[in-house]
């Protein structure tokens, strides 16, 4: 483990396409780009191409995360429960994180409460995001409660996956799992015993999720296996055309080329972290050719 001034092998300082500070991890023919803004993983390129997706009209504005890659959701998911003026999905995706340490092909970024976060959310917290590149991409989001009271919060790795063609993409592993559909114009009825296919706006929060899901994307001739630990929720999202028109960073037909499969603890699976304790959610992504 090395300090922030001395980076480990396979870890280099880089810039995102907007010229903002980032860290690149390199291992063999794989490359990952992680922005310091929001500790957002922007890209993971490997032997099967770019695994992640970002909007074709994203703007790299100061302090604003782009739509795509893996934004982090914390400490609340969706709108704030009582104050709609506060940012959706919390605020850590808008904060500039620091490099805490590196190891070969691995970086840990950190952020914690400050005067600005305490105005939005009056709690002390310390987060780290560790990203490690090998044959797979391993991600760990750790939340530490340094305060004296219980820390109640929600979290998500809001992963945008490239799918090539949404009409043929399929999520396996959620069959029979309880879910709440929150889309404005959802599919009328669907067979919950079958793998999830996209037929309309989809915004489903699954609870009590298994630790292994698969996203099959025949248009890209590959599938991604998601293996998680300490994640009890998953959100599967595609905005379809009507909602796409209301979203930033996206062209009118962008909805056809991505879906989000989010690794999370939300709503009835929100976290309650005791004083001095830490919660760590992990996600391992393994992309394989079909
Ligand atoms: C998903 C939500 O997690 O994020 C959707 O379930 C939401 O309802 C989407 O539209 C995008 O959110 P945002 O804030 O990044 O536009």
């Amino acid at each position: 483990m090395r300090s922030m001034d001395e980076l480990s092998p396979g870890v280099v300082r880089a810039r995102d396409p907007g010229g903002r500070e980032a860290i690149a991890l390199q291992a063999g023919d794989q490359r990952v780009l992680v922005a310091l803004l929001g500790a957002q993983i922007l890209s993971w390129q490997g032997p099967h191409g770019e695994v992640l997706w970002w909007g074709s009209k994203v703007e790299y504005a100061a302090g604003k995360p782009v739509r795509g890659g893996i934004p982090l959701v914390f400490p609340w998911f969706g709108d704030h429960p009582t104050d709609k003026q506060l940012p959706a999905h919390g605020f850590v995706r808008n904060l500039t994180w620091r490099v805490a340490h590196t190891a070969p092909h691995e970086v840990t970024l950190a952020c914690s409460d400050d005067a600005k976060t305490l105005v939005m959310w009056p709690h002390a917290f310390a987060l780290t995001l560790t990203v490690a590149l090998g044959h797979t991409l391993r991600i760990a989001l750790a939340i530490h409660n340094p305060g004296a009271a219980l820390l109640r919060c929600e979290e998500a790795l809001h992963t945008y996956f490239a799918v090539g063609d949404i009409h043929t993409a399929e999520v396996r592993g959620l069959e029979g799992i309880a879910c709440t559909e929150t889309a404005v114009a959802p599919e009328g009825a669907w067979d919950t015993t079958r793998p999830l296919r996209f037929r309309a706006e989809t915004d489903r929060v699954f609870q009590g999720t298994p630790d292994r899901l698969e996203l099959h994307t025949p248009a890209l001739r590959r599938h991604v296996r998601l293996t998680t630990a300490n994640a009890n929720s998953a959100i599967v999202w595609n905005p379809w055309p009507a909602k796409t028109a209301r979203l930033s960073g996206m062209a009118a037909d962008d909805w056809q080329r991505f879906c989000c499969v989010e690794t999370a603890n939300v709503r009835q699976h929100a976290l309650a972290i005791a004083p001095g304790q830490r919660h760590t959610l992990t996600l391992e992504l393994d992309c394989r050719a079909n």
Side-chain angles (χ1 to χ4, degrees):
M1 218 178 262
R2 301 183 186 206
S3 75
M4 58 181 288
D5 297 326
E6 192 191 356
L7 299 180
S8 302
V11 183
V12 295
R13 291 196 182 276
R15 296 274 167 183
D16 75 12
R20 306 182 300 187
E21 278 187 279
I23 293 289
L25 304 179
Q26 289 162 338
D29 55 0
Q30 308 209 48
R31 186 173 191 268
V32 166
L33 188 65
V34 192
L36 295 195
L37 177 63
Q40 184 175 5
I41 299 174
L42 293 173
S43 163
W44 172 30
Q45 291 176 337
H48 310 299
E50 174 63 59
V51 177
L52 303 177
W53 179 92
W54 53 92
S56 42
K57 288 193 168 172
V58 296
E59 286 174 16
Y60 294 87
K64 290 204 169 162
V66 296
R67 184 175 301 286
I70 313 183
L72 300 182
V73 173
F74 176 88
W76 56 83
F77 176 79
D79 289 335
H80 185 275
T82 55
D83 186 350
K84 302 287 181 274
Q85 302 302 312
L86 291 172
H89 286 336
F91 48 77
V92 297
R93 61 179 175 172
N94 305 92
L95 300 181
T96 299
W97 294 47
R98 64 183 185 281
V99 179
H101 50 79
T102 66
H105 318 290
E106 178 180 315
V107 65
T108 297
L109 303 181
C111 81
S112 50
D113 59 282
D114 62 17
K116 279 189 197 158
T117 71
L118 289 168
V119 170
M120 294 185 277
W121 195 59
H123 303 282
F125 66 88
L127 301 189
T128 59
L129 184 84
T130 299
V131 184
L133 183 60
H135 297 298
T136 61
L137 183 63
R138 286 174 289 117
I139 303 163
L141 176 60
I143 305 170
H144 173 60
N145 176 6
L150 204 59
L151 188 73
R152 295 184 188 280
C153 56
E154 296 176 294
E155 62 173 345
L157 302 173
H158 192 306
T159 311
Y160 286 77
F161 289 102
V163 300
D165 175 10
I166 191 70
H167 299 97
T168 57
E170 182 173 285
V171 181
R172 298 183 188 170
L174 293 169
E175 299 88 311
I177 305 295
C179 92
T180 308
E181 172 62 272
T182 60
V184 173
E187 193 177 349
W190 64 90
D191 184 350
T192 55
T193 66
R194 308 279 306 160
L196 187 157
R197 305 289 295 268
F198 297 87
R199 297 286 177 260
E201 182 189 342
T202 302
D203 200 347
R204 294 181 202 161
V205 181
F206 291 85
Q207 298 288 16
T209 46
D211 58 11
R212 172 75 59 83
L213 300 178
E214 286 185 2
L215 172 63
H216 285 255
T217 53
L220 300 174
R221 297 194 185 86
R222 69 186 192 205
H223 63 278
V224 182
R225 181 176 292 171
L226 295 81
T227 306
T228 61
N230 297 328
N232 289 308
S233 315
I235 298 94
V236 180
W237 179 59
N238 181 281
W240 231 240
K243 183 164 178 176
T244 298
R246 301 194 295 274
L247 294 173
S248 63
M250 296 176 84
D253 60 352
D254 270 2
W255 61 277
Q256 298 182 31
R257 290 181 286 275
F258 85 93
C259 74
C260 288
V261 181
E262 304 172 41
T263 303
N265 287 298
V266 300
R267 299 186 180 166
Q268 64 260 45
H269 285 294
L271 301 174
I273 305 172
Q277 297 300 301
R278 185 182 307 273
H279 179 276
T280 304
L281 167 158
T282 64
L283 167 67
E284 181 173 22
L285 299 177
D286 187 359
C287 183
R288 296 179 180 212
N290 282 347

